[in-house]
């Protein structure tokens, strides 16, 4: 936005490092996301406790905190994509359009495409159809976030890191937090990698950018 309006020139004329501007944008965005998600989870938990009258156990509280952290990373990933497109295009409208297209691709188009493509495979090859469906859906970070969330919030069932169907824990026992994390950490690692890649790309692009009057 600052680049499009030209106010970036005035901002850079101040005795500050260029990366300070980007630091402020990213940290401000992450803090806003964290506050919004924390408020939402706290309010939801409070309502559930008031209605049901059951306090969450320590295990459940820890799982909620892990889920909160994962949600912040996941939404921050989209913020990082938006920041990069904003720097790359220098146009707020174009950046918004690209960000929406990316979001729709990850949340809708890939899922629709996976169903359509797998439907072309004969039913007799059900195992192949399932593998194709799974492979395509795992291309989106949304599926990785879903898998991680399901494994963290559900101690009775678990999703394979690169699968889309639940499997139960051993009869008579629940998965511990460590076991849930051991199963699902690759999903969070992939989301974090995308977040890191776009933040790094944003810094490289912005620091190398030539600002003209």
């Amino acid at each position: 936005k600052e680049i499009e309006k030209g106010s970036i020139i005035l901002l850079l004329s101040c005795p500050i490092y260029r990366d300070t501007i980007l630091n402020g944008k990213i940290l401000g965005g992450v803090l806003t996301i964290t506050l919004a998600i924390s408020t939402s989870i706290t309010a939801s938990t409070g309502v559930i406790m008031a209605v049901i009258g059951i306090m969450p156990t320590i295990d459940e509280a820890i799982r909620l905190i892990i889920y909160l952290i994962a949600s912040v990373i996941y939404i921050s990933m989209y913020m990082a994509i938006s920041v990069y497109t904003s720097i790359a295009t220098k146009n707020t409208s174009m950046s918004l359009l690209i960000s929406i297209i990316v979001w729709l691709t990850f949340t809708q188009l890939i899922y629709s495409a996976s169903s359509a493509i797998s439907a072309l495979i004969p039913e007799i090859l059900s195992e192949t159809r399932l593998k194709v469906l799974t492979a395509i859906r795992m291309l989106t970070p949304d599926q990785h976030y879903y898998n991680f969330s399901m494994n963290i919030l559900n101690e009775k069932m678990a999703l394979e890191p690169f699968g889309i169907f639940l499997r139960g824990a051993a009869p008579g026992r629940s998965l511990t937090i460590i076991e849930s994390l051991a199963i699902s950490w690759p999903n969070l690692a992939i989301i974090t990698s995308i977040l890191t890649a776009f933040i790094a790309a944003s810094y490289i692009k912005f620091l190398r950018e030539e600002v003209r009057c």
Side-chain angles (χ1 to χ4, degrees):
K1 183 177 179 180
E2 287 81 2
I3 296 177
E4 182 182 3
K5 291 186 175 181
S7 58
I8 188 68
I9 299 173
L10 177 61
L11 191 59
L12 289 175
S13 66
C14 300
I16 59 174
Y17 293 106
R18 291 185 64 147
D19 60 343
T20 303
I21 300 172
L22 204 52
N23 290 341
K25 280 187 169 294
I26 293 174
L27 289 177
V30 171
L31 288 176
T32 302
I33 291 169
T34 303
L35 179 61
I37 297 177
S38 300
T39 302
S40 176
I41 292 178
T42 302
S44 300
T45 304
V47 170
I48 293 173
M49 289 170 55
V51 173
I52 301 179
I54 300 177
M55 291 287 292
T57 63
I58 295 178
D59 182 87
E60 291 170 341
I62 294 175
R63 287 178 182 272
L64 279 175
I65 293 173
I66 295 174
Y67 172 70
L68 166 64
I69 295 172
S71 298
V72 170
I73 293 174
Y74 167 70
I75 299 178
S76 295
M77 179 201 71
Y78 282 108
M79 181 204 68
I81 294 174
S82 177
V83 169
Y84 177 76
T85 57
S86 178
I87 295 172
T89 61
K90 305 182 183 65
N91 184 287
T92 305
S93 300
M94 182 60 67
S95 172
L96 178 61
L97 179 61
I98 294 174
S99 299
I100 292 175
I101 291 174
V102 170
W103 177 75
L104 286 175
T105 299
F106 284 154
T107 60
Q108 301 293 330
L109 296 181
I110 290 181
Y111 286 96
S112 299
S114 66
S115 299
I117 294 173
S118 62
L120 298 176
I121 301 174
E123 291 187 11
I124 192 172
L125 301 174
S126 58
E127 185 175 348
T128 302
R129 174 186 286 190
L130 177 60
K131 288 181 179 179
V132 170
L133 180 69
T134 302
I136 296 175
R137 290 192 175 183
M138 295 312 297
L139 294 175
T140 169
D142 287 64
Q143 186 64 46
H144 290 285
Y145 173 69
Y146 174 79
N147 284 21
F148 184 86
S149 300
M150 287 295 295
N151 288 337
I152 289 299
L153 297 178
N154 193 342
E155 60 186 24
K156 298 294 184 182
M157 306 288 287
L159 276 166
E160 292 290 343
F162 302 102
I164 59 174
F165 293 100
L166 287 167
R167 61 179 177 84
R173 70 180 296 270
S174 301
L175 294 171
T176 65
I177 296 176
I178 299 299
E179 289 173 331
S180 296
L181 286 174
I183 294 172
S184 57
W185 73 264
N187 301 118
L188 187 60
I190 289 173
I191 298 173
T192 305
S193 298
I194 298 173
L195 167 64
T196 304
F198 274 96
I199 288 179
S202 298
Y203 274 102
I204 294 172
K205 179 70 175 175
F206 184 69
L207 295 179
R208 293 171 63 91
E209 191 78 18
E210 181 179 356
V211 180
R212 297 180 180 273
C213 299

